[in-house]
PDB file of all heavy atoms in Angstrom:
ATOM      1  N   VAL A  74     -28.277 -13.568  24.284  1.00  0.00           N
ATOM      2  CA  VAL A  74     -27.240 -12.640  24.750  1.00  0.00           C
ATOM      3  C   VAL A  74     -26.111 -12.541  23.720  1.00  0.00           C
ATOM      4  O   VAL A  74     -25.669 -11.461  23.359  1.00  0.00           O
ATOM      5  CB  VAL A  74     -26.683 -13.092  26.121  1.00  0.00           C
ATOM      6  CG1 VAL A  74     -25.514 -12.214  26.517  1.00  0.00           C
ATOM      7  CG2 VAL A  74     -27.778 -13.052  27.173  1.00  0.00           C
ATOM      8  N   ILE A  75     -25.664 -13.704  23.248  1.00  0.00           N
ATOM      9  CA  ILE A  75     -24.578 -13.705  22.264  1.00  0.00           C
ATOM     10  C   ILE A  75     -24.979 -12.920  21.021  1.00  0.00           C
ATOM     11  O   ILE A  75     -24.231 -12.106  20.511  1.00  0.00           O
ATOM     12  CB  ILE A  75     -24.196 -15.158  21.896  1.00  0.00           C
ATOM     13  CG1 ILE A  75     -23.558 -15.825  23.118  1.00  0.00           C
ATOM     14  CG2 ILE A  75     -23.228 -15.167  20.724  1.00  0.00           C
ATOM     15  CD1 ILE A  75     -23.385 -17.305  22.976  1.00  0.00           C
ATOM     16  N   THR A  76     -26.189 -13.155  20.589  1.00  0.00           N
ATOM     17  CA  THR A  76     -26.657 -12.465  19.384  1.00  0.00           C
ATOM     18  C   THR A  76     -26.627 -10.952  19.577  1.00  0.00           C
ATOM     19  O   THR A  76     -26.164 -10.210  18.720  1.00  0.00           O
ATOM     20  CB  THR A  76     -28.088 -12.915  19.047  1.00  0.00           C
ATOM     21  OG1 THR A  76     -28.107 -14.314  19.058  1.00  0.00           O
ATOM     22  CG2 THR A  76     -28.492 -12.412  17.687  1.00  0.00           C
ATOM     23  N   GLN A  77     -27.070 -10.541  20.762  1.00  0.00           N
ATOM     24  CA  GLN A  77     -27.075  -9.093  21.018  1.00  0.00           C
ATOM     25  C   GLN A  77     -25.654  -8.538  21.056  1.00  0.00           C
ATOM     26  O   GLN A  77     -25.385  -7.467  20.540  1.00  0.00           O
ATOM     27  CB  GLN A  77     -27.779  -8.801  22.337  1.00  0.00           C
ATOM     28  CG  GLN A  77     -29.285  -8.778  22.153  1.00  0.00           C
ATOM     29  CD  GLN A  77     -30.017  -8.589  23.460  1.00  0.00           C
ATOM     30  OE1 GLN A  77     -29.428  -8.757  24.533  1.00  0.00           O
ATOM     31  NE2 GLN A  77     -31.278  -8.271  23.380  1.00  0.00           N
ATOM     32  N   ARG A  78     -24.766  -9.293  21.680  1.00  0.00           N
ATOM     33  CA  ARG A  78     -23.373  -8.836  21.736  1.00  0.00           C
ATOM     34  C   ARG A  78     -22.797  -8.702  20.332  1.00  0.00           C
ATOM     35  O   ARG A  78     -22.105  -7.756  20.019  1.00  0.00           O
ATOM     36  CB  ARG A  78     -22.529  -9.845  22.493  1.00  0.00           C
ATOM     37  CG  ARG A  78     -22.592  -9.608  23.945  1.00  0.00           C
ATOM     38  CD  ARG A  78     -21.273 -10.032  24.557  1.00  0.00           C
ATOM     39  NE  ARG A  78     -21.403  -9.988  25.988  1.00  0.00           N
ATOM     40  CZ  ARG A  78     -20.926 -10.896  26.804  1.00  0.00           C
ATOM     41  NH1 ARG A  78     -20.248 -11.901  26.321  1.00  0.00           N
ATOM     42  NH2 ARG A  78     -21.097 -10.776  28.084  1.00  0.00           N
ATOM     43  N   ARG A  79     -23.094  -9.714  19.541  1.00  0.00           N
ATOM     44  CA  ARG A  79     -22.586  -9.677  18.169  1.00  0.00           C
ATOM     45  C   ARG A  79     -23.100  -8.458  17.433  1.00  0.00           C
ATOM     46  O   ARG A  79     -22.370  -7.787  16.725  1.00  0.00           O
ATOM     47  CB  ARG A  79     -23.076 -10.896  17.396  1.00  0.00           C
ATOM     48  CG  ARG A  79     -22.251 -12.080  17.639  1.00  0.00           C
ATOM     49  CD  ARG A  79     -22.147 -12.856  16.368  1.00  0.00           C
ATOM     50  NE  ARG A  79     -21.165 -13.878  16.533  1.00  0.00           N
ATOM     51  CZ  ARG A  79     -21.251 -15.059  15.945  1.00  0.00           C
ATOM     52  NH1 ARG A  79     -22.256 -15.315  15.142  1.00  0.00           N
ATOM     53  NH2 ARG A  79     -20.309 -15.928  16.120  1.00  0.00           N
ATOM     54  N   PHE A  80     -24.372  -8.212  17.653  1.00  0.00           N
ATOM     55  CA  PHE A  80     -24.984  -7.061  16.977  1.00  0.00           C
ATOM     56  C   PHE A  80     -24.293  -5.775  17.412  1.00  0.00           C
ATOM     57  O   PHE A  80     -23.943  -4.933  16.592  1.00  0.00           O
ATOM     58  CB  PHE A  80     -26.478  -7.010  17.294  1.00  0.00           C
ATOM     59  CG  PHE A  80     -27.162  -5.859  16.631  1.00  0.00           C
ATOM     60  CD1 PHE A  80     -27.413  -5.896  15.263  1.00  0.00           C
ATOM     61  CD2 PHE A  80     -27.527  -4.748  17.358  1.00  0.00           C
ATOM     62  CE1 PHE A  80     -28.021  -4.821  14.636  1.00  0.00           C
ATOM     63  CE2 PHE A  80     -28.138  -3.671  16.740  1.00  0.00           C
ATOM     64  CZ  PHE A  80     -28.388  -3.705  15.379  1.00  0.00           C
ATOM     65  N   ALA A  81     -24.031  -5.665  18.723  1.00  0.00           N
ATOM     66  CA  ALA A  81     -23.365  -4.466  19.245  1.00  0.00           C
ATOM     67  C   ALA A  81     -21.978  -4.320  18.624  1.00  0.00           C
ATOM     68  O   ALA A  81     -21.561  -3.226  18.246  1.00  0.00           O
ATOM     69  CB  ALA A  81     -23.266  -4.541  20.766  1.00  0.00           C
ATOM     70  N   ALA A  82     -21.271  -5.440  18.491  1.00  0.00           N
ATOM     71  CA  ALA A  82     -19.927  -5.385  17.916  1.00  0.00           C
ATOM     72  C   ALA A  82     -19.989  -4.922  16.464  1.00  0.00           C
ATOM     73  O   ALA A  82     -19.204  -4.076  16.034  1.00  0.00           O
ATOM     74  CB  ALA A  82     -19.270  -6.757  18.000  1.00  0.00           C
ATOM     75  N   LEU A  83     -20.946  -5.464  15.752  1.00  0.00           N
ATOM     76  CA  LEU A  83     -21.081  -5.066  14.345  1.00  0.00           C
ATOM     77  C   LEU A  83     -21.409  -3.588  14.221  1.00  0.00           C
ATOM     78  O   LEU A  83     -20.874  -2.875  13.374  1.00  0.00           O
ATOM     79  CB  LEU A  83     -22.181  -5.882  13.666  1.00  0.00           C
ATOM     80  CG  LEU A  83     -21.794  -7.306  13.315  1.00  0.00           C
ATOM     81  CD1 LEU A  83     -23.001  -8.048  12.762  1.00  0.00           C
ATOM     82  CD2 LEU A  83     -20.664  -7.300  12.285  1.00  0.00           C
ATOM     83  N   LEU A  84     -22.278  -3.143  15.116  1.00  0.00           N
ATOM     84  CA  LEU A  84     -22.683  -1.742  15.088  1.00  0.00           C
ATOM     85  C   LEU A  84     -21.467  -0.852  15.335  1.00  0.00           C
ATOM     86  O   LEU A  84     -21.271   0.161  14.663  1.00  0.00           O
ATOM     87  CB  LEU A  84     -23.743  -1.515  16.167  1.00  0.00           C
ATOM     88  CG  LEU A  84     -24.530  -0.228  16.029  1.00  0.00           C
ATOM     89  CD1 LEU A  84     -25.377  -0.278  14.774  1.00  0.00           C
ATOM     90  CD2 LEU A  84     -25.419  -0.035  17.255  1.00  0.00           C
ATOM     91  N   LEU A  85     -20.622  -1.262  16.292  1.00  0.00           N
ATOM     92  CA  LEU A  85     -19.421  -0.476  16.595  1.00  0.00           C
ATOM     93  C   LEU A  85     -18.507  -0.399  15.378  1.00  0.00           C
ATOM     94  O   LEU A  85     -17.989   0.668  15.050  1.00  0.00           O
ATOM     95  CB  LEU A  85     -18.646  -1.131  17.736  1.00  0.00           C
ATOM     96  CG  LEU A  85     -19.018  -0.647  19.125  1.00  0.00           C
ATOM     97  CD1 LEU A  85     -18.148  -1.358  20.160  1.00  0.00           C
ATOM     98  CD2 LEU A  85     -18.818   0.862  19.238  1.00  0.00           C
ATOM     99  N   VAL A  86     -18.329  -1.524  14.715  1.00  0.00           N
ATOM    100  CA  VAL A  86     -17.485  -1.539  13.525  1.00  0.00           C
ATOM    101  C   VAL A  86     -18.053  -0.581  12.477  1.00  0.00           C
ATOM    102  O   VAL A  86     -17.338   0.217  11.886  1.00  0.00           O
ATOM    103  CB  VAL A  86     -17.366  -2.968  12.947  1.00  0.00           C
ATOM    104  CG1 VAL A  86     -16.711  -2.946  11.580  1.00  0.00           C
ATOM    105  CG2 VAL A  86     -16.574  -3.845  13.904  1.00  0.00           C
ATOM    106  N   ALA A  87     -19.371  -0.646  12.311  1.00  0.00           N
ATOM    107  CA  ALA A  87     -20.001   0.213  11.305  1.00  0.00           C
ATOM    108  C   ALA A  87     -19.822   1.681  11.668  1.00  0.00           C
ATOM    109  O   ALA A  87     -19.499   2.508  10.811  1.00  0.00           O
ATOM    110  CB  ALA A  87     -21.484  -0.131  11.194  1.00  0.00           C
ATOM    111  N   LEU A  88     -19.980   2.002  12.936  1.00  0.00           N
ATOM    112  CA  LEU A  88     -19.817   3.401  13.368  1.00  0.00           C
ATOM    113  C   LEU A  88     -18.379   3.862  13.167  1.00  0.00           C
ATOM    114  O   LEU A  88     -18.125   4.959  12.683  1.00  0.00           O
ATOM    115  CB  LEU A  88     -20.184   3.543  14.847  1.00  0.00           C
ATOM    116  CG  LEU A  88     -21.684   3.512  15.140  1.00  0.00           C
ATOM    117  CD1 LEU A  88     -21.923   3.508  16.644  1.00  0.00           C
ATOM    118  CD2 LEU A  88     -22.375   4.709  14.493  1.00  0.00           C
ATOM    119  N   ALA A  89     -17.429   3.007  13.543  1.00  0.00           N
ATOM    120  CA  ALA A  89     -16.022   3.365  13.411  1.00  0.00           C
ATOM    121  C   ALA A  89     -15.696   3.622  11.938  1.00  0.00           C
ATOM    122  O   ALA A  89     -15.021   4.579  11.600  1.00  0.00           O
ATOM    123  CB  ALA A  89     -15.134   2.248  13.958  1.00  0.00           C
ATOM    124  N   ARG A  90     -16.219   2.758  11.084  1.00  0.00           N
ATOM    125  CA  ARG A  90     -15.951   2.926   9.648  1.00  0.00           C
ATOM    126  C   ARG A  90     -16.463   4.257   9.137  1.00  0.00           C
ATOM    127  O   ARG A  90     -15.784   4.937   8.402  1.00  0.00           O
ATOM    128  CB  ARG A  90     -16.663   1.835   8.869  1.00  0.00           C
ATOM    129  CG  ARG A  90     -15.936   0.551   8.953  1.00  0.00           C
ATOM    130  CD  ARG A  90     -15.945  -0.074   7.611  1.00  0.00           C
ATOM    131  NE  ARG A  90     -14.894  -1.051   7.548  1.00  0.00           N
ATOM    132  CZ  ARG A  90     -14.845  -1.988   6.636  1.00  0.00           C
ATOM    133  NH1 ARG A  90     -15.777  -2.060   5.726  1.00  0.00           N
ATOM    134  NH2 ARG A  90     -13.859  -2.829   6.630  1.00  0.00           N
TER     135      ARG A  90
END
Side-chain angles (χ1 to χ4, degrees):
V74 174
I75 292 169
T76 310
Q77 278 176 345
R78 275 211 188 138
R79 277 217 170 147
F80 180 74
L83 284 175
L84 196 66
L85 269 181
V86 169
L88 285 174
R90 282 222 161 163

